[in-house]
Amino acid sequence: MENYIVSARKYRPSTFASVVGQKALTATLRNSISKNRLAHAYLFCGSRGVGKTSCARIFAKTINCRHRNTDGEACNECDSCREFNKGASLNIVELDAASNNGIDDMKNIIDQVQVPPVNADYRVFIIDEVHMLSNAAFNAFLKTLEEPPSYVVFILATTEKHKVLPTILSRCQIYDFNRITIQDMVDHLSYVATQEGIIAEPAALNVIARKADGAMRDALSIFDQVAASSMGNVTYASAIDNLNILDYEYYNRLIEAFLTGNIVDALLIYKEIREKGFDSLFFINGLAQHLRDLMVAGNPKTMCLLEASDQTREALAKVAAKCQPTFIYNAISLCNKADLDYRTASNKQLLVELTLIKLCQLLSPSPHESGAGEGQLRPIKPSAQAPQATTTATTAPQPIASDQQATYGN
Ligand SMILES: [Zn+2]
């Protein structure tokens, strides 16, 4: 692989339109440039990896572009744009306040503010993680922020808006960046995969997007990692193996055990999971998340709350159809209790096993008397309140009646 460039760098957006997941915000920025309504200071807020710095750089390039196109985007061809794209422009100054937060760093910026732009209209100062500036640096900065030269635009960025002083907030136009949705990430990863000639299963990209937790940059790094180790064929199996993610399949097998009251199966599946090296707390939380996903997949109205591929949605809806809403609520509640008790439990494995037993008993509250169907449980007095009780180990759980389904969500 000659001249390998990581995807997060190679596919860094170069126009507002190519920024992933921030359509409304980038449209507003683009409009303000086209209409020449620039503020002297902007504050970009949002979690890491959502495109704040990329947008700041695109903004700096666009306001200095000589031939903006009709959409208000930079041409990426004029001298100014080329210098920006090479990272060689003198009209953009970046300061990472996370590591340069002292008064001297700020004095340096204030000195630079006095230098007019070179072959351009504006100089843009990007201060990343602005909330990290020391008090002395903040105070030194305030005056300049209040009355900067006409050619200066400040773009401050922060992951923690609540830590930015009100005196700074009141002097800035504030833009709140969204977390990037799973679907937006999957779409972008899919585009990158195509460009790179990598075959990628949608379910695999979904796993990667979930792991990235709202940060596009992380998603691209994880994608590179999985692509490298799976020789350019990114499958669901290679993704979960590489990222040490517990396969949905384990959770589905457990749900089956809960529905049939099969304690033996449940305990053995848990043993398998531990032997694969998964932490018990991680497992319990994963199970709770899976149950939550089943809950929302069980009703077409709440399906929109599920950030998953169509394939996954369909699979979850199928399992959800076997579960009564009350069973899912109670199961989530048991997992939640285990999570709360976990830190104080002296025997954590026992706590999880006990939780699994209780989950198996949700629908079948007392043990099987005949001994047939090892691990099976069924009520002493069969009643309408225990609709999922089964008599043999091989009996599959019955789908709930459609009228019961219809009441869900009311
Ligand atoms: Zn240009």
Side-chain angles (χ1 to χ4, degrees):
M1 240 181 277
E2 73 276 7
N3 291 332
Y4 175 71
I5 304 171
V6 296
S7 296
R9 237 185 94 196
K10 187 168 176 185
Y11 294 95
R12 183 177 285 162
S14 64
T15 57
F16 285 120
S18 57
V19 175
V20 176
Q22 311 292 353
K23 287 268 173 299
L25 186 150
T26 49
T28 312
L29 283 175
R30 217 167 41 194
N31 272 335
S32 69
I33 295 172
S34 306
K35 297 197 173 127
N36 210 12
R37 313 196 106 161
L38 298 183
H40 273 297
Y42 294 85
L43 180 65
F44 289 179
C45 315
S47 49
R48 55 188 295 275
V50 295
K52 300 187 296 296
T53 313
S54 294
C55 273
R57 289 180 185 148
I58 294 167
F59 187 91
K61 177 170 68 178
T62 311
I63 58 175
N64 279 317
C65 174
R66 295 292 173 206
H67 308 289
R68 280 198 296 272
N69 67 22
T70 45
D71 293 332
E73 296 275 17
C75 69
N76 280 315
E77 279 165 13
C78 68
D79 289 347
S80 172
C81 280
R82 274 201 220 147
E83 281 188 355
F84 268 101
N85 287 345
K86 273 193 291 184
S89 177
L90 297 169
N91 299 315
I92 184 166
V93 179
E94 295 189 39
L95 176 77
D96 182 6
S99 45
N100 310 286
N101 61 358
I103 181 81
D104 290 338
D105 300 306
M106 188 43 73
K107 277 189 177 151
N108 183 26
I109 291 283
I110 294 168
D111 286 346
Q112 293 221 43
V113 163
Q114 304 311 320
V115 181
V118 183
N119 298 326
D121 297 331
Y122 297 97
R123 287 193 87 203
V124 177
F125 291 79
I126 300 173
I127 303 181
D128 224 345
E129 299 298 359
V130 67
H131 64 275
M132 304 276 278
L133 286 179
S134 67
N135 276 342
F138 251 133
N139 289 329
F141 181 44
L142 270 181
K143 248 199 186 145
T144 311
L145 183 63
E146 207 159 50
E147 286 176 346
S150 59
Y151 53 79
V152 165
V153 175
F154 283 109
I155 301 181
L156 316 178
T158 181
T159 47
E160 300 184 57
K161 186 167 145 191
H162 60 279
K163 288 188 183 166
V164 179
L165 293 180
T167 41
I168 299 256
L169 291 177
S170 65
R171 285 167 174 80
C172 296
Q173 239 181 52
I174 298 173
Y175 285 82
D176 290 300
F177 283 63
N178 296 324
R179 272 170 59 88
I180 300 169
T181 63
I182 302 274
Q183 193 54 52
D184 279 343
M185 279 203 232
V186 169
D187 290 347
H188 188 61
L189 289 174
S190 169
Y191 163 77
V192 170
T194 313
Q195 294 296 310
E196 294 292 306
I198 290 169
I199 302 160
E201 289 178 4
L205 298 182
N206 201 277
V207 165
I208 293 169
R210 274 172 179 252
K211 184 86 176 176
D213 197 23
M216 195 66 236
R217 192 170 52 223
D218 291 358
L220 287 165
S221 305
I222 299 169
F223 173 78
D224 283 350
Q225 178 194 331
V226 177
S229 69
S230 56
M231 310 307 265
N233 187 11
V234 179
T235 61
Y236 174 74
S238 70
I240 60 164
D241 193 41
N242 208 277
L243 302 175
N244 205 25
I245 286 170
L246 194 51
D247 192 348
Y248 265 36
E249 199 43 45
Y250 283 100
Y251 295 128
N252 281 336
R253 278 167 61 203
L254 278 168
I255 301 291
E256 204 68 34
F258 302 155
L259 291 175
T260 53
N262 196 328
I263 292 172
V264 170
D265 269 6
L267 296 181
L268 289 176
I269 295 167
Y270 172 46
K271 176 174 176 280
E272 253 180 78
I273 291 169
R274 268 183 297 129
E275 283 173 354
K276 288 202 113 192
F278 287 98
D279 173 65
S280 291
L281 185 60
F282 170 88
F283 157 65
I284 276 291
N285 285 323
L287 180 58
Q289 180 66 39
H290 188 74
L291 286 159
R292 179 266 177 200
D293 288 349
L294 283 180
M295 177 177 77
V296 299
N299 187 312
K301 280 186 195 163
T302 47
M303 189 60 108
C304 61
L305 298 173
L306 196 60
E307 288 199 278
S309 64
D310 290 346
Q311 203 184 344
T312 311
R313 283 175 180 219
E314 224 170 86
L316 281 168
K318 243 182 220 169
V319 180
K322 298 182 193 171
C323 308
Q324 288 185 39
T326 44
F327 161 75
I328 298 183
Y329 303 152
N330 291 333
I332 292 176
S333 165
L334 281 173
C335 290
N336 188 43
K337 187 170 182 325
D339 175 42
L340 294 175
D341 293 345
Y342 195 84
R343 281 156 201 90
T344 51
S346 52
N347 189 339
K348 298 181 193 308
Q349 184 184 325
L350 185 67
L351 172 77
V352 176
E353 286 177 343
L354 191 62
T355 304
L356 291 173
I357 292 169
K358 286 181 187 162
L359 284 162
C360 289
Q361 290 178 330
L362 275 178
L363 297 172
S364 319
S366 57
H368 199 295
E369 291 153 348
S370 70
E374 198 183 356
Q376 287 278 32
L377 298 171
R378 68 173 186 186
I380 294 171
K381 284 179 286 183
S383 72
Q385 271 70 48
Q388 295 293 338
T390 52
T391 48
T392 70
T394 51
T395 307
Q398 297 303 307
I400 60 166
S402 56
D403 60 326
Q404 281 169 312
Q405 242 181 326
T407 60
Y408 171 48
N410 292 339

